[in-house]
Amino acid sequence: MLVLVSFPAALAFSTITINMMKKTYRDQGIVLRTHDLGEADRIITLFTRNHGKVRAVAKGVRKTKSRYGARLEPFSYIDVQLYQGRNLDVVSQVESITPYHKAIITNYEVYAAASGILETANRLLVVEKEADLGHFVLLHGALHAIAVGAHHPELILYSYILRAMSYAGWQLAINECAVCGAESRQLALNLELGGTVCESCSPLSTSFLAPETRELLAALSVGNWEVADKSSVKARKNIGALVTAYLHWHLEQQLQSIKVINSKLLS
């Protein structure tokens, strides 16, 4: 049976279709976190390559017959199509690129460090829909390294924190005085002043860094794994305490995943 559609109706349908296409976009992203919404939906927080941090609703994703529920787990690297909503975007299609979560969740130590990476990224990415390709590449590299076991998971976490904070404008001074800029072999560490400080600028209560600790701090800040992988357990514990303290100083709040790792360092 032939159905005739009036010209005004056809024009209206065409306009709606074009408007929907304009509001639809596709990107690659990493799932930072998820939380439930209603009985079947879930809010997904993504860090995308071209659109920065995005929050979107995945409708019906918690149903057992969901087509893409398993693809939207934290740590997953995905190709996603989204529709721009008023408050939250809407996930309309998902394809898995690399399911990092499958390797990460099999080891508790790896999972704890990877959770610290995602939580740090989520807190540092304050502005939504603002692309930050350098940070995205850094995060992707950190997740890949931790999933394949390229280095000790906590070293990857500390390196990511130092380098991500540099992207956020909080680079830690390591090889020169944070106050006067002078270079010296004898540098103390004062987090409130922004990193290492020379003897002339350091407060009386500031303690000087052990050479191995300072060497490891410098290596992690630039991703020098040849030096970092050879570091001692003692130096790694010292770095863990320093790096996480610096992060919490700027965020003004201790991250839950970091609390777990710090409790292990103190044990």
Side-chain angles (χ1 to χ4, degrees):
M1 180 177 66
L2 181 63
V3 178
L4 297 178
V5 180
S6 65
F7 179 75
L11 180 60
F13 177 78
S14 177
T15 302
I16 293 173
T17 303
I18 292 172
N19 288 337
M20 289 184 65
M21 290 178 63
K22 286 182 178 180
K23 289 187 175 183
T24 300
Y25 63 98
R26 199 174 193 96
D27 207 342
Q28 295 180 359
I30 295 166
V31 180
L32 298 181
R33 61 171 298 187
T34 67
H35 59 275
D36 295 343
L37 177 67
E39 296 182 358
D41 303 339
R42 185 168 283 161
I43 295 178
I44 313 296
T45 302
L46 300 163
F47 185 17
T48 64
R49 176 181 291 272
N50 300 313
H51 296 84
K53 184 177 178 180
V54 174
R55 293 195 309 139
V57 177
K59 295 185 177 181
V61 75
R62 290 159 57 201
K63 294 179 179 179
T64 54
K65 295 182 179 180
S66 172
R67 293 175 300 167
Y68 48 78
R71 303 170 193 170
L72 290 171
E73 293 295 323
F75 313 112
S76 299
Y77 181 38
I78 60 175
D79 183 278
V80 60
Q81 182 172 293
L82 301 121
Y83 176 79
Q84 295 179 22
R86 182 175 298 178
N87 297 316
L88 296 171
D89 292 352
V90 178
V91 176
S92 57
Q93 187 178 350
V94 182
E95 297 294 337
S96 176
I97 298 177
T98 310
Y100 289 123
H101 65 284
K102 291 184 178 180
I104 289 172
I105 63 175
T106 60
N107 182 290
Y108 178 76
E109 190 175 27
V110 170
Y111 174 78
S115 296
I117 289 173
L118 291 196
E119 193 174 2
T120 300
N122 188 48
R123 289 298 306 273
L124 291 178
L125 295 167
V126 178
V127 181
E128 296 185 13
K129 298 289 184 73
E130 186 175 283
D132 189 343
L133 182 58
H135 191 173
F136 177 85
V137 172
L138 174 67
L139 176 61
H140 185 204
L143 281 183
H144 176 79
I146 211 166
V148 302
H151 311 285
H152 192 281
E154 288 176 9
L155 288 181
I156 298 173
L157 168 64
Y158 303 145
S159 179
Y160 168 77
I161 291 175
L162 286 169
R163 297 161 80 180
M165 291 188 72
S166 295
Y167 280 113
W170 297 326
Q171 184 173 2
L172 186 70
I174 298 173
N175 297 313
E176 67 283 327
C177 178
V179 179
C180 68
E183 296 184 4
S184 173
R185 292 184 178 180
Q186 296 295 322
L187 289 172
L189 183 69
N190 189 293
L191 300 180
E192 297 181 16
L193 294 177
T196 52
V197 289
C198 66
E199 189 173 0
S200 301
C201 299
S202 62
L204 295 176
S205 59
T206 304
S207 58
F208 285 85
L209 285 173
E212 185 186 10
T213 302
R214 182 181 168 188
E215 183 181 34
L216 178 56
L217 189 64
L220 291 176
S221 68
V222 295
N224 184 347
W225 295 107
E226 184 177 356
V227 172
D229 289 338
K230 296 177 182 178
S231 60
S232 67
V233 174
K234 181 180 179 181
R236 295 178 185 185
K237 286 187 174 182
N238 290 339
I239 288 299
L242 293 174
V243 171
T244 55
Y246 187 58
L247 174 67
H248 297 147
W249 165 258
H250 283 285
L251 295 181
E252 299 181 348
Q253 183 180 357
Q254 191 172 28
L255 304 186
Q256 188 60 41
S257 54
I258 303 295
K259 283 184 181 180
V260 176
I261 296 171
N262 282 350
S263 63
K264 176 188 170 186
L265 289 175
L266 296 173
S267 62

